Amino acid sequence: MFRRSRRDLARWFTFLMGSILVAFAIAAYYREVASELATVDRSLYQRTRVMATNVRYHFQEGEWQLDLENVPLLGDQTVPLNSSLVYARWYDDEGQLVQFFGVPTADRLLHEPGFQTVEILQDNNPLMFERLRQLTMPIYRGGSLLGYLQVATPLTTVEVKLNEFRLFVALAVPVSVGLISWSSWLLGGVAMLPIRQTHQQLERFTADASHELRAPLTAILNNAQVGLMADAAEQQWRLQNVANLAESMSSLVSSLLLLARYQGTFVSESLECVDLTPLLRGLTDEFAAQAIAQPLHLTHDLPAEPVMVNAEPYLLRQAIACLLNNACKYTPAGGEVQLRLSVTGHRAMIQVEDNGVGIPAEDLPHLFERFYRVDKERSRQTGGFGLGLAIAQQIVTAHRGKLSVDSILGRGSTFQIELPLTFNLES
Ligand code: ADP
């Protein structure tokens, strides 16, 4: 599925970018053609105007003629104006050819005044044409039309330049399209990576969630079926089992709902200004009974002054309670658990430290993944689904905070929550 999407993405991107590139190449080509023609036209116009000064009245012939014998010189006064012209033709005011030099033509003026691109046979070969730029200019003197001067210059240099341009485009466009296709394939892969990872995570999560729900469901079914055939005393016991299993399922479903609900970060308007010191003191008091029962030495180290953060108190409490609960769960009898609060820079640091079983280094990177349990058997005995830390991390992240862990196997663990402090500007 991802491969096909990546291929489609690369294909569409290449098609789009390729089309844009081809459109640009065509536009650039026509711009080049227009610019070259404009240069030729300018030069042709200047030559024609200078030549027009040579139109004189010949009294013997009784008409205006072009003095081709005394062609004016160009620029540096060394090149006659008619050099590099293919032809120059002088028509009278009725469009009748009077005189010409270069390529012969029909007796009548065939073109309207202005610039035209025309073709003539090259070496009288019907298959070979030469392109020319021709200007037909009406010549006036004293307000009356004397005749038409028509001159043409070859477009050979322009064509050579345009051929080079076309060759460059013909090579550059396919190479660029190839590069675009290759880079879009690479980019497609990079763009697909987070989607692929999210998809894999979702698949794993769905598989894990259904697996976790199936086990207690099967147990409920078994207990119910056996209970139906059992005597009253056993039925009582079976019912108690069903109630316990249903309770565990309900807690799993609540955890899943919690994970689904609090994605992303909270908007600051939905948070309250919370003093962490009394909140943590309250939590230690709550866990005191459990610590005495285990027995564990549970202590706290809290500052005297308030430590204010923007938080959703119920959820933040739940995240810290999860860390405390784990610390108590994974610390053997006689061990120590300490809850600390301090301020570093602009952040509040909540630490839960224990000297319990610790966590192997290879498990640390996966610890916050959903359904991840270090020791599956032991966690099942202690009743965990491997969701507590995933939920705690999601809650802390939603508060723009960070949850991290340091642990040495057999020596204990320290979980740390960093939260941005709130500064009360009025105080
Ligand atoms: P669980 O509900 O299984 O405790 P958690 O997400 O809370 O799930 O924890 C994931 C795993 O991390 C646990 O299975 C446990 O192996 C390990 N763990 C968490 N906290 C501690 C701790 N303080 N000491 C040792 N191991 C811990």
Side-chain angles (χ1 to χ4, degrees):
M1 176 180 86
F2 287 105
R3 213 180 154 72
R4 207 184 60 215
S5 305
R6 185 181 176 186
R7 209 176 38 232
D8 287 349
L9 201 73
R11 204 174 279 164
W12 276 106
F13 188 71
T14 309
F15 174 72
L16 265 174
M17 293 305 286
S19 310
I20 293 171
L21 200 72
V22 169
F24 264 113
I26 292 173
Y29 177 72
Y30 279 105
R31 200 171 172 277
E32 184 70 12
V33 170
S35 139
E36 288 294 332
L37 277 184
T39 312
V40 171
D41 288 353
R42 237 183 347 261
S43 146
L44 196 60
Y45 179 75
Q46 275 165 3
R47 281 160 175 250
T48 314
R49 281 198 57 161
V50 177
M51 280 183 96
T53 57
N54 256 23
V55 177
R56 307 197 195 293
Y57 191 76
H58 282 245
F59 291 100
Q60 308 93 308
E61 320 257 333
E63 62 186 358
W64 290 91
Q65 293 215 345
L66 187 65
D67 190 356
L68 290 174
E69 299 302 313
N70 299 304
V71 174
L73 296 174
L74 254 186
D76 58 2
Q77 305 289 303
T78 53
V79 190
L81 259 180
N82 58 0
S83 71
S84 90
L85 288 182
V86 181
Y87 54 77
R89 295 161 183 166
W90 172 247
Y91 297 88
D92 65 15
D93 56 342
E94 284 167 359
Q96 191 66 37
L97 184 67
V98 178
Q99 60 180 133
F100 71 95
F101 81 78
V103 182
T105 182
D107 286 349
R108 303 262 339 143
L109 178 63
L110 299 175
H111 295 98
E112 290 292 307
F115 290 100
Q116 293 97 22
T117 300
V118 295
E119 284 177 343
I120 57 164
L121 284 184
Q122 214 177 25
D123 304 330
N124 279 332
N125 182 341
L127 297 177
M128 283 174 68
F129 288 95
E130 185 183 4
R131 275 211 186 82
L132 309 174
R133 193 67 174 160
Q134 171 187 281
L135 170 61
T136 309
M137 185 189 267
I139 308 295
Y140 294 90
R141 199 157 292 171
S144 55
L145 179 67
L146 304 186
Y148 298 90
L149 181 57
Q150 188 177 64
V151 291
T153 186
L155 283 175
T156 329
T157 36
V158 175
E159 277 181 336
V160 168
K161 274 191 192 168
L162 291 179
N163 281 346
E164 278 171 10
F165 192 91
R166 274 202 298 267
L167 184 71
F168 171 75
V169 169
L171 290 175
V173 168
V175 170
S176 312
V177 169
L179 283 174
I180 289 170
S181 154
W182 177 71
S183 47
S184 57
W185 174 255
L186 285 185
L187 283 176
V190 176
M192 283 290 160
L193 204 63
I195 305 173
R196 192 191 284 244
Q197 281 168 351
T198 313
H199 182 77
Q200 280 167 354
Q201 269 173 11
L202 201 71
E203 269 184 347
R204 211 170 48 233
F205 177 69
T206 315
D208 287 344
S210 21
H211 174 80
E212 292 297 338
L213 284 168
R214 203 169 44 212
L217 262 178
T218 314
I220 287 176
L221 193 68
N222 286 344
N223 274 291
Q225 281 169 342
V226 177
L228 282 174
M229 295 178 286
D231 56 29
E234 195 179 339
Q235 268 184 357
Q236 175 73 20
W237 180 71
R238 294 272 168 199
L239 268 177
Q240 187 54 51
N241 274 353
V242 169
N244 291 346
L245 286 162
E247 201 177 320
S248 140
M249 276 179 75
S250 152
S251 120
L252 174 58
V253 170
S254 312
S255 300
L256 292 175
L257 282 175
L258 202 74
L259 276 169
R261 194 173 305 149
Y262 298 108
Q263 304 271 10
T265 50
F266 294 130
V267 283
S268 42
E269 290 78 48
S270 67
L271 302 175
E272 294 171 29
C273 204
V274 176
D275 184 358
L276 286 177
T277 315
L279 188 138
L280 296 193
R281 192 170 294 118
L283 267 170
T284 338
D285 294 346
E286 235 172 68
F287 277 86
Q290 186 182 335
I292 291 166
Q294 270 192 249
L296 286 174
H297 189 52
L298 174 63
T299 55
H300 61 65
D301 179 6
L302 306 173
E305 65 277 6
V307 177
M308 308 303 289
V309 292
N310 261 339
E312 216 290 37
Y314 169 76
L315 289 174
L316 187 60
R317 202 184 155 81
Q318 187 167 341
I320 304 164
C322 165
L323 302 185
L324 270 175
N325 188 34
N326 279 349
C328 295
K329 257 195 318 195
Y330 300 109
T331 303
E336 285 184 16
V337 174
Q338 188 177 46
L339 177 63
R340 284 195 296 269
L341 173 64
S342 58
V343 172
T344 309
H346 296 309
R347 299 181 84 78
M349 304 284 188
I350 304 163
Q351 287 176 320
V352 180
E353 186 177 352
D354 66 65
N355 61 356
V357 294
I359 301 159
E362 64 271 19
D363 289 302
L364 289 176
H366 308 285
L367 213 59
F368 301 109
E369 288 173 12
R370 294 162 182 194
F371 294 110
Y372 192 83
R373 288 180 296 228
V374 174
D375 178 344
K376 312 251 179 286
E377 285 314 309
R378 197 185 60 210
S379 287
R380 202 170 275 296
Q381 282 161 20
T382 45
F385 290 108
L387 285 175
L389 287 179
I391 293 173
Q393 193 193 40
Q394 200 161 309
I395 292 173
V396 172
T397 310
H399 284 85
R400 298 175 200 280
K402 191 177 153 205
L403 174 59
S404 55
V405 58
D406 271 325
S407 185
I408 299 173
L409 189 61
R411 300 261 299 270
S413 318
T414 305
F415 284 83
Q416 175 168 291
I417 296 176
E418 284 178 48
L419 289 172
L421 284 176
T422 308
F423 294 100
N424 194 347
L425 295 175
E426 285 161 28
S427 63

